[in-house]
Amino acid sequence: MTKRSIFPAALACLLLFLALVNGEDQFIERVRLQERISGPVAPRIPSIAALLAGTKIEFVRGNIVALDAARRRVRIASGDSERELAFDRAVYALGSQIDLGGIPGAQEHAYRLDAGEGPRSVAALRARLEQNAGRPIRVVVVGGHETAIEVAGEIKTRWPAAAVTMMARSRCADIKGARVERAIRAELARLRIGTIDGQTIAEVRADVVVTAANDTIPCDVCVWSGGLRATAIARQAGISTDPQGRIWVDPGLRSISHPHIIAVGDAAHPMAPTGAGYRMSAYAALVSGAYAADTILDETAGRHSTPFSFSAYGQGIAIGRVGVGFATYPDDQKAFFLVTGRNGIRVRNFFVRLLVMLLKVERKFPGLFFTVGRGRVSWQRAKEAMQAAQAA
């Protein structure tokens, strides 16, 4: 980013600097938000400002409310005031939020695991469950993948009297092949968490969930975990996005409509192959963010970067106080090695801690972070994929 000088050009040049904009000074990983159901979660990065102290990076606390991609401006709201920040290059890393899919009643009646406070936040969900501590309460978790599984496991473990049921459009725990599905469903069954497969939700009411087949599932609490959607700011700015609001990016993670904007993490949708399949995840955010930084440095130095690519290692899913960990190297496909039970949760927690540890190591030793899998995609292959995608 470039901050415009207030001095005449004859007297001063532009002051080059980096700015990191975030709504909060603390950082809580999305993969730990389900822990807030049981109680407050201590941040592993208590202060972004303190982490960046002594660097050439300015921390700007505020929320991005608008982006002018053509004029290269972002508008930032902080408290009751707003300011504009100009940039030459922007790294768009606004992440994602729970996708309610436009389902009637979901906004008003379903809780979701998004950061922040509000009447349907994680804190509000915890308060609602604590009101019924020790008494039977019917909880329906909509979704069958990682977030939904962890939500259901956390609630049932913390409030064992609750009757918890998961509902999925396809199959609950259908994530990385039959072995992983069997292992997860065995842990769900051990906790007496019910599963309903093959049901699409048509409406959420205060005390019932209605399916597309017009079946009704009574519930006192509905928690929505039916996928993620990127924030609407890129689409509102006229940037080319997919139906989930993610920015379409080229092999260098540049926006195909506004190349001076690089998108990373949940906000990006690569059009070219990336080695391992690119999906909304903390690991994809980490490796794409590191690549974006290296790309900008390469461009500044006149070097050519390789297309973005990476390899996956594995994944872990918490199910209450146990878990299922599995290796998926290198392409994030079907798991070939599983760890379950208490060892499974240890594996999962290790990798969650590792994500933040890598950020802290990178702070002390800039440029150290690298990923196995860079160089898996050639420029020829990437360009051919781009041409095919744009011609479709």
Side-chain angles (χ1 to χ4, degrees), residues 368-379:
L368 180 65
F369 180 73
F370 68 95
T371 57
V372 175
R374 286 196 180 186
R376 296 184 65 186
V377 179
S378 67
W379 273 114

Side-chain angles (χ1 to χ4, degrees), residues 33-41 111 113 121-141 150-165 191-194 220-221 223 319-321:
L33 287 180
Q34 91 284 346
E35 297 175 22
R36 285 186 168 183
I37 298 174
S38 295
V41 175
Y111 295 91
L113 265 67
S121 65
V122 180
L125 171 60
R126 181 173 69 247
R128 176 73 174 86
L129 292 169
E130 286 178 344
Q131 289 175 359
N132 292 270
R135 298 193 299 271
I137 184 172
R138 300 165 298 181
V139 179
V140 169
V141 179
E150 296 201 337
V151 167
E154 191 72 24
I155 292 175
K156 186 63 177 180
T157 301
R158 176 64 178 80
W159 291 277
V164 181
T165 302
L191 287 175
R192 297 184 181 179
I193 295 173
D220 302 299
V221 171
V223 184
I319 311 171
R321 302 301 170 259

Side-chain angles (χ1 to χ4, degrees), residues 293-345:
D294 288 345
T295 296
I296 293 173
L297 291 173
D298 286 343
E299 289 181 356
T300 303
R303 298 188 297 263
H304 292 288
S305 300
T306 58
F308 171 68
S309 66
F310 67 103
S311 293
Y313 298 93
Q315 193 176 349
I317 298 175
I319 311 171
R321 302 301 170 259
V322 298
V324 175
F326 44 91
T328 58
Y329 181 84
D331 293 331
D332 201 30
Q333 298 298 318
K334 291 185 178 181
F336 62 87
F337 177 77
L338 271 70
V339 179
T340 60
R342 294 196 178 277
N343 286 331
I345 193 68

